[in-house]
Structures are given as C-alpha cells and as structure tokens.
Amino acid sequence: MLYAVGRLAVWAEQVRLVRDPALWLRHEIINAFIATGHVGPDDNIRRFRSCLRRVSKTVIWAANGVPPLPRAPLSYTAPPYHMGELAKLRAWAEQLPDRAQLDGLALLAMGAGCGLTPSEALTMRGTDVDASSGVPVLDERALGRLVVCHVDWAETLTKLAKLAGSSYMFKPQRDLKRPTTLISSWISCHSLDENLPKLSAHRLQATWLAGLLAQGISPPVIAAAAGMSSAAALAPYRRPAQLPGADAIRLRY
C-alpha cells in the first residue's frame, strides 16, 4: 500500500500538483495517474487502483467521519498507440534476436493487427490462421467470431503462422494454455529503449479498435469482430470530429 501511494506521490510531484494528499487521492486524480502507464505492466493496473481507492476511503473517513458517497464503477481504457509509436515498436521487435523476434512480432500482429485480447493471443496457434484466400483470417471456431487481419499486418501474421504450424504463435514451448502473467513477464524481460513507448497488449488492441473507427467502419461490425456484446463499449475509442476553423469561431459567439 505504501508503495502504491509512493508511486502516486512521485507522479504528483512530477506533474506539479499541489502537495495535498486529499487532492492526490481523489478518484479522478487516481484515474489520471493510472492512465499514464506509470504503474508498470498491465497486471498492476487493477491492484494499484484498488489499493489507492482503499487509501482514499480511509482518508475521507479520518478527515470527515463519514463514508464516501457511492459512485458508479469506472473501467480502465488503455489509450491507443499513435502511428509513429507503433512503427517504433515494430522496428524494435524486428531487431530482437531469434525466438524473441517471433514472439514480439506475434504480439504486435495479433494485438494491433487482429484486435485480440491478451488471453486470446495466448491461445492462438499457427493452424488457427487461414491465409488461403490471400488475406489471413482467424479460425472462427477458435475465437467464436470471425476476425480478418488488418492489411498492415497480413504478411507478418501469415509468415508467423507458417513458422508456428500447430504450435502456439507466442511462446510455443509452454505447458499451460493461458499462463496469467506470461505476456507481462515477457515484456519485462525484454526491456525497451527509453525512447520507445511501453509495450502493452491492451494498448495494441485499443490501437486496432481506434484505427477501424477512424476508417469509418460501422461500430456494430467492429464490436462483433472484437467479441463485444454492444457497440457502446467502443465509446472510449471514438475521436471527436474536428470542426473547421470557421465553424469553431462561430461557436464562440
């Protein structure tokens, strides 16, 4: 608990927030801290948020003698990568040696190219990719839905699938089908250059979702391909439309 609060305090100092613990522990500040990626691997997100909110409730009780007001649960939405960031990650993965290169590219292709969640990426085998039509399609029986790989990653995914064969595409030499921390552990072991964005499987999926929305593809179609129950879940990934300068000026008056 002290570690989580300490990380929050360091971040608050870096962004020059007023030195007020009551301010630091407000839910919107905690969410902003979590969204910056300073908590480390994806597995830490839920633990950090839960810990800091418990501290927040305790501080409110100690200061006011009353419990905090009930609030609606908030979900964490990983921000998508910018095109430049994704290009840097791809170049980095292509420079990794031997098996690490294949694993890194597999994570990128399955996340940014197919929108798979981390747990789904762990289960995919080379035989689950059908490229006979010229466009790699993920086996509908394996995922429960039809997923077509984005053209930017089609060639990479096809090559990786052929190399993997009937083995897993990511870390094939393993016994468990879905090891809980395998992806985050792999990312931690293959440290990135300081100038590169942090690699996150959730951010790769968010990049795929945001990219399809930006292309004007129907939200229900995207939601179905992502395995979402409703297109409403895509709301955090929508970019507000940019108003022309003349319209923006008129709105001021």
Side-chain angles (χ1 to χ4, degrees):
M1 191 169 287
L2 286 174
Y3 176 71
V5 174
R7 293 288 295 274
L8 173 64
V10 170
W11 172 79
E13 285 286 295
Q14 291 175 343
V15 299
R16 298 184 180 180
L17 287 179
V18 177
R19 291 181 178 176
D20 179 4
L23 171 65
W24 296 352
L25 291 168
R26 290 172 58 176
H27 290 304
E28 58 267 34
I29 300 300
I30 292 174
N31 289 335
F33 165 63
I34 294 293
T36 61
H38 282 69
V39 299
D42 292 336
D43 295 335
N44 288 349
I45 291 173
R46 183 174 298 177
R47 185 165 63 250
F48 263 69
R49 183 193 288 110
S50 176
C51 179
L52 291 172
R53 286 182 175 174
R54 288 202 304 272
V55 175
S56 176
K57 290 180 180 179
T58 303
V59 170
I60 292 174
W61 178 269
N64 305 324
V66 294
L69 295 174
R71 56 181 180 79
L74 297 174
S75 59
Y76 169 75
T77 300
Y81 289 110
H82 299 300
M83 293 301 295
E85 292 177 322
L86 192 59
K88 289 180 179 179
L89 287 173
R90 188 170 191 165
W92 161 79
E94 290 173 346
Q95 297 301 316
L96 292 174
D98 305 324
R99 182 66 237 178
Q101 180 185 124
L102 300 179
D103 289 335
L105 288 173
L107 280 181
L108 293 171
M110 289 188 288
C114 303
L116 300 190
T117 65
S119 61
E120 290 173 338
L122 287 174
T123 65
M124 296 303 296
R125 299 177 182 269
T127 49
D128 292 328
V129 179
D130 180 6
S132 58
S133 65
V135 178
V137 179
L138 304 190
D139 191 346
E140 190 171 356
R141 293 171 297 178
L143 294 172
R145 64 187 188 277
L146 181 65
V147 177
V148 179
C149 181
H150 192 278
V151 63
D152 290 347
W153 294 95
E155 183 178 354
T156 299
L157 186 67
T158 300
K159 290 181 179 179
L160 292 172
K162 289 181 179 179
L163 289 173
S166 60
S167 300
Y168 292 117
M169 294 185 63
F170 176 76
K171 298 290 288 183
Q173 296 180 342
R174 52 183 160 100
D175 298 326
L176 297 177
K177 185 176 183 180
R178 296 186 181 183
T180 307
T181 61
L182 181 61
I183 291 180
S184 59
S185 298
W186 185 90
I187 292 174
S188 298
C189 291
H190 297 82
S191 56
L192 305 183
D193 186 277
E194 294 181 355
N195 297 321
L196 288 176
K198 293 182 179 180
L199 180 58
S200 163
H202 291 292
R203 290 193 66 185
L204 291 174
Q205 184 195 30
T207 303
W208 179 79
L209 292 169
L212 294 181
L213 285 169
Q215 292 175 27
I217 297 176
S218 172
V221 173
I222 299 174
M228 296 176 170
S229 58
S230 169
L234 294 170
Y237 305 101
R238 297 176 186 268
R239 297 178 181 176
Q242 296 295 322
L243 286 175
D247 292 339
I249 293 174
R250 281 197 297 272
L251 287 175
R252 298 179 184 178
Y253 300 97

